[in-house]
Amino acid sequence: MAQNLAGYFVDLEAGPVEEDLKSPVLWLSHAHAMSESARVLLQGAPNLAAMPESVRGACHCQYHAVALMLVGYSLEICLKAILIIKKGIPAYQAEEKKHRHHNLGKLASFVPGLTAKDQATLQALSHFVRWAGRYPDPGLGNLSQAEEIFTLSEGHQVSAKELFTLAARIMAYSGNVIAEVSP
């Protein structure tokens, strides 16, 4: 339905085929939905009344980790949508396994003008997508990943404002790519 509303006819009664589900329209709208979900979470205040007072601070931090996970997922989906636009659906499908990961820095390698701080921000955000937004620890033998989040964010002085500016810049880049491939 999203494709039909965007002007790309799809027979809704026939059911989707793989190519339909790789539509950049669907991917970009999903990326925006996740980004908006994160925005709503971050603008609101969690109800922590059910939690014992002694753990509310930890829960509040975990609440923000979930929002950061959504920001990371929205960027991942946006970057994959850009790859679909750049390569075309058949070419993307042929190499899709190569892109089945959550390494935002690697996925964003084609985005022009990314600084070392941008790369560090994407690397830190990748941790929230892989585990920090989903679990309280990175798993057996991966304690260094928990330390890396702090090292990256503190070492590069990454602020929330800069994180969201970077996310907006990457998402806006999709418009440039669309303009490049449009006749």
Side-chain angles (χ1 to χ4, degrees), residues 6-23:
Y8 299 94
F9 177 75
V10 175
D11 183 359
L12 297 176
E13 293 187 22
V17 296
E18 274 192 57
E19 290 78 16
D20 293 336
L21 298 177
K22 293 294 184 257
S23 166

Side-chain angles (χ1 to χ4, degrees), residues 33-69:
M34 282 197 150
S35 177
E36 281 298 297
S37 297
R39 185 187 61 77
V40 168
L41 281 176
L42 291 169
Q43 286 181 337
N47 179 357
L48 304 177
M51 299 297 299
E53 201 167 320
S54 61
V55 296
R56 287 182 187 165
C59 187
H60 195 263
C61 288
Q62 290 167 323
Y63 176 88
H64 285 106
V66 170
L68 289 173
M69 174 188 69

Side-chain angles (χ1 to χ4, degrees), residues 59-143:
C59 187
H60 195 263
C61 288
Q62 290 167 323
Y63 176 88
H64 285 106
V66 170
L68 289 173
M69 174 188 69
L70 291 175
V71 171
Y73 275 132
S74 71
L75 279 176
E76 178 182 332
I77 293 166
C78 179
L79 290 163
K80 289 177 180 179
I82 294 170
L83 286 170
I84 293 169
I85 294 165
K86 282 176 151 298
K87 296 175 179 296
I89 292 171
Y92 179 82
Q93 285 177 310
E95 64 178 36
E96 187 170 4
K97 284 184 182 179
K98 185 170 99 175
H99 306 295
R100 281 200 183 150
H101 57 79
H102 304 295
N103 184 333
L104 298 175
K106 186 175 178 181
L107 286 171
S109 63
F110 59 83
V111 177
L114 292 179
T115 65
K117 185 173 186 172
D118 293 338
Q119 285 293 340
T121 302
L122 292 171
Q123 188 176 347
L125 196 54
S126 294
H127 287 294
F128 287 92
V129 174
R130 285 194 296 264
W131 66 270
R134 299 169 20 186
Y135 307 106
D137 76 81
L140 185 62
N142 293 315
L143 185 58

Side-chain angles (χ1 to χ4, degrees), residues 116-182:
K117 185 173 186 172
D118 293 338
Q119 285 293 340
T121 302
L122 292 171
Q123 188 176 347
L125 196 54
S126 294
H127 287 294
F128 287 92
V129 174
R130 285 194 296 264
W131 66 270
R134 299 169 20 186
Y135 307 106
D137 76 81
L140 185 62
N142 293 315
L143 185 58
S144 65
Q145 290 183 18
E147 295 168 7
E148 185 178 28
I149 292 173
F150 298 108
T151 302
L152 288 167
S153 60
E154 291 298 316
H156 291 274
Q157 296 293 302
V158 177
S159 70
K161 181 181 179 185
E162 290 168 323
L163 170 90
F164 289 104
T165 299
L166 173 61
R169 203 169 83 229
I170 289 172
M171 289 187 167
Y173 178 65
S174 66
N176 297 346
V177 174
I178 291 168
E180 287 172 11
V181 299
S182 296

